[in-house]
Amino acid sequence: MHTPPIQIAPSLLSCDFGQIAAEVKRTEDAGADWLHVDVMDGHFVPNLTIGPPLVKAIHTAASIPLDVHLMITNPAEFAGPYAKAGAEVLTYHWEVAPSEQASLEVIAAFREQGVPQVGVAVNPDTPIEGIEPLLGSVDLVLVMSVFPGFGGQSFIADVLDKTRWLRSAGFEGHVEMDGGLDPATLPLCAEAGANALVAGSAIFGPPDMAATISELRAAAEAALPAGSEA
Ligand code: DX5
Ligand code: ZN
């Protein structure tokens, strides 16, 4: 089956926020495909991060797509501001709209407010089967491989089954994995069928970001399941 190409998406949560424009440029120059932006509201997760004005500043500095991950309780209310600020992909969490009807309403609100690509995320302890009715309505499914809130946590390997399930259910959109991805765990995600691969500490930690991104990309492409297109 056709799966979309690998997208390496550095999480700006691990960047130097005091030099955000330079960090965006450095990340692009190092070969990133998307910039992953983690939005936290202090309610859905116990951390508080990035509002629309900062997303706009990132968008102004960036030339690659912004992949905005909303870890907030009221995503429909903020879809317009984040879309206007320049989000290309905007992802909400299933846990804040945990039924087919509630989620379809969020997705419709995102589309009405001009979100180009809509994603739905599931936490590590959320069964994936609940989102089956949404698979025809979203562009991306984000399988969280840590509990959201902070960078630098350890990868939860059990969630790889959800990625496999999505591909076996025939989902041909982006399957993204986020949390604890590093040179050892990122190939496991690609092998299971994920194509959008988020990494924060593994990309911003080592000194040579270009070498790090090329190594991660090569490891992902080498691990792709037979029959998928790189
Ligand atoms: C966690 C965030 C992740 C995080 C990833 O809530 O959604 O995007 O920044 O960071 P690492 O790669 O360090 O686990
Ligand atoms: Zn994220």
Side-chain angles (χ1 to χ4, degrees):
M1 98 182 207
H2 175 78
T3 55
I6 295 290
Q7 309 288 342
I8 302 291
S11 166
L12 291 174
L13 196 59
S14 294
C15 85
D16 177 353
F17 279 89
Q19 312 192 48
I20 190 77
E23 288 287 75
V24 166
K25 174 101 175 52
R26 180 166 82 99
T27 309
E28 289 190 356
D29 289 349
D33 299 303
W34 293 353
L35 292 169
H36 185 82
V37 181
D38 286 305
V39 173
M40 307 187 187
D41 67 352
H43 293 278
F44 181 68
V45 288
N47 199 357
L48 195 57
T49 60
I50 300 174
L54 186 49
V55 171
K56 189 173 178 194
I58 293 167
H59 181 60
T60 301
S63 54
I64 58 176
L66 301 191
D67 166 37
V68 178
H69 175 192
L70 295 181
M71 288 161 272
I72 70 177
T73 55
N74 49 351
E77 281 176 49
F78 286 98
Y82 281 102
K84 283 192 196 74
E88 166 63 25
V89 181
L90 193 65
T91 298
Y92 75 96
H93 267 263
W94 161 260
E95 294 80 12
V96 306
S99 71
E100 179 179 359
Q101 189 188 341
S103 260
L104 288 175
E105 284 171 14
V106 172
I107 294 164
F110 275 34
R111 302 259 185 231
E112 278 160 24
Q113 292 178 66
V115 173
Q117 297 195 58
V118 175
V120 59
V122 287
N123 276 344
D125 59 354
T126 299
I128 192 74
E129 292 80 4
I131 68 158
E132 186 163 21
L134 311 179
L135 293 180
S137 305
V138 294
D139 303 289
L140 176 146
V141 178
L142 168 48
V143 175
M144 288 302 299
S145 41
V146 298
F147 285 90
F150 301 93
Q153 304 181 73
S154 296
F155 184 78
I156 300 170
D158 287 352
V159 304
L160 289 165
D161 282 342
K162 297 186 197 177
T163 298
R164 291 187 199 99
W165 181 89
L166 285 163
R167 292 305 185 201
S168 66
F171 183 65
E172 294 193 340
H174 298 290
V175 176
E176 180 167 60
M177 293 187 71
D178 179 12
L181 272 62
D182 62 20
T185 58
L186 181 140
L188 304 176
C189 302
E191 186 178 32
N195 71 289
L197 304 164
V198 178
S201 37
I203 286 179
F204 285 92
D208 187 342
M209 189 188 284
T212 302
I213 290 180
S214 340
E215 281 160 25
L216 292 174
R217 187 188 305 286
E221 286 175 354
L224 286 176
S228 56
E229 296 166 29

